[in-house]
Amino acid sequence: METTMSNADARQQIGVLYTEHHSWLASWLSHKLHCKNLGADLAHDTFLRILGSRLPADLREPRAYLTTIAKGLLNSHLRRKKLEEAYLDALAAIPEPVQPSAEERLVVLETLGEIDRILDSLPAKARQVFLLAQLDGLPYADICALLDISLSTVKRHMVLAFRHCLAAL
C-alpha cells in the first residue's frame, strides 16, 4: 500500500533534505562545472524542481535522488551552453554589417533555449525522428532505414512531435 504525504510533511522533509544536503550538492555541482556560483545556482534549481514535484514518501537514498535531478539540470545547462556557443560561432562567420543587434541575438538565444526545452520534453525516439526529418531534411523512408523502424512508427513519432510543439505554443 502506497503512503501519501501531506503538504506540510512534504515541505518539512524537503527542508530537512535541503539542510542536510544542499551544501554537498552545491559543492558537487561546482566541482563538475568548475564554477562555484553556477554550482550553487544549479543546486538551488534542483531544490526548486523538488518543490514542484512529488517527493517520494520513503526516500532512502537522498543523495542519489538529488544527484539524479541535478544531473538532468546539468545536462540541460550544458546542452543550452553548447547551443549558445554554436549560435555565436555562426554569428562570427557573418559579415559585421549584417549581424543582428544585441537585442536580436538575445531574442534568438531565448527562442533557441525554448525550442530546446520543448524538444527535450519529447520521448527520445520521437525527438530523434523529428530532428532527422526537420533539421537534417531526411525523408521518412531514410529515417526508417537509419533507425530500423517502420514507416508507421516514423509517422507516429512525427505526429507526436508536431502535436507536442503546437501544444507548447
Side-chain angles (χ1 to χ4, degrees), residues 1-14 16-17 50 53-62 65:
M1 173 184 259
E2 183 179 315
T3 59
T4 57
M5 213 183 307
S6 73
N7 284 342
D9 290 342
R11 284 192 301 270
Q12 182 180 6
Q13 188 176 359
I14 292 169
V16 169
L17 193 64
I50 292 169
S53 64
R54 188 170 285 201
L55 191 63
D58 186 21
L59 185 59
R60 294 183 183 179
E61 296 292 333
Y65 178 72

Side-chain angles (χ1 to χ4, degrees), residues 76 79-91 100 104-120 131 135:
S76 293
R79 190 176 53 254
R80 281 191 305 275
K81 185 176 178 179
K82 187 176 177 182
L83 188 63
E84 182 177 338
E85 288 171 358
Y87 174 64
L88 294 175
D89 287 346
L91 282 179
E104 291 169 325
R105 287 181 188 188
L106 181 60
V107 168
V108 169
L109 284 173
E110 287 174 351
T111 303
L112 287 172
E114 183 61 26
I115 291 168
D116 182 55
R117 281 186 287 283
I118 291 167
L119 294 177
D120 189 45
L131 291 174
L135 289 183

